[in-house]
Structures are given as structure tokens and as C-alpha cells.
Amino acid sequence: MQKLTNKEEEIMHILWRLEKAFVKDVLAEIQNDKPHYNTLSTIIRNLEEKGYVDYTAYGKTHQYFPIVSKEDYKKRFMNTAIENYFNSSYKNVVSFFAKEEKISVKELKEIISIIENKK
């Protein structure tokens, strides 16, 4: 799976949400920094070349749909981030969020409970 640019990732989130869409449908969903129609069309074709989307042709227009699930992308993204930024250590990930005060003691206890109940 090739790495996505920020804009490509934004487009994938829209396609995951819509499930099937024409370029005009995707364009309507973009809130900020709307690209030109042709630019968006190029981004979506790049996603096709990278193996993230496919399409159904209706004459000269295409309806695009994701062929990589959001779940599969999330797993790859998280595994890469943990490998690159936390030395492949999940303990380092949790410690990072604890130090940044992004996770509470209550949430940590819930995580421990989940782990203990998996046994």
C-alpha cells in the first residue's frame, strides 16, 4: 500500500463515507480549500493508480468506489506510525499519550480491563 498525501487521504475519507461517488459528489463534500474539478479528478485517478479506488464507467463519466477499506488503511497507518515514531513499542505509544495528557487514568484502566478480558 503506497503512502497517501494529505489531500488523497481527505478524498479517501469522503469516498469511504459515500461508498460510491462521481467527482462532482466528492467536490460537494469538501469543506475547505476546494480544488478545481480537474485537479480533484487527477487526485482521484492517482488514488486509482495507487490501488485505493476503482470505478464503474458510465459513458465518459466514472463513478468511483474504494477498494481498500478504511479499517485496512487504519491498520497500515497505525503500524507505520508506531514503527517510525515509537520504535514499534505500544508501551511507548501509551506513555506518549499519558505524558501529553491525552489519555486519562480511567481510560488506561479500561484498556487494562480489555487486555485482561482477552485472556
Side-chain angles (χ1 to χ4, degrees):
M1 222 182 284
Q2 286 184 311
K3 185 170 171 41
L4 297 181
T5 66
N6 290 340
K7 197 54 134 175
E8 288 171 339
E9 194 170 300
E10 177 186 356
I11 303 310
M12 282 305 300
H13 282 284
I14 292 169
L15 287 170
W16 284 320
R17 187 172 62 251
L18 297 178
E19 296 180 0
K20 292 182 180 180
F22 296 97
V23 174
K24 67 180 178 67
D25 300 326
V26 174
L27 189 60
E29 293 290 315
I30 298 174
Q31 301 299 317
N32 300 319
D33 299 324
K34 281 189 188 265
H36 187 274
Y37 180 95
N38 291 339
T39 303
L40 179 57
S41 181
T42 298
I43 293 169
I44 294 174
R45 282 196 311 274
N46 288 342
L47 287 167
E48 179 193 352
E49 288 174 16
K50 289 181 176 182
Y52 283 86
V53 301
D54 203 353
Y55 66 87
T56 303
Y58 296 98
K60 291 184 178 183
T61 189
H62 297 140
Q63 185 179 43
Y64 295 93
F65 53 90
I67 54 175
V68 171
S69 73
K70 188 174 185 178
E71 191 65 27
D72 286 342
Y73 182 76
K74 179 172 53 173
K75 285 178 187 175
R76 184 192 85 51
F77 176 83
M78 291 303 297
N79 287 336
T80 300
I82 291 167
E83 184 178 307
N84 291 339
Y85 296 103
F86 300 100
N87 298 321
S88 299
S89 168
Y90 290 90
K91 181 182 125 201
N92 289 346
V93 174
V94 175
S95 296
F96 170 80
F97 288 113
K99 288 175 189 171
E100 293 291 314
E101 298 180 1
K102 303 288 184 189
I103 191 166
S104 69
V105 172
K106 179 183 176 197
E107 290 169 320
L108 286 171
K109 287 180 180 179
E110 288 173 9
I111 291 169
I112 290 168
S113 176
I114 291 168
I115 293 168
E116 287 175 343
N117 290 328
K118 286 269 186 183
K119 293 180 180 177

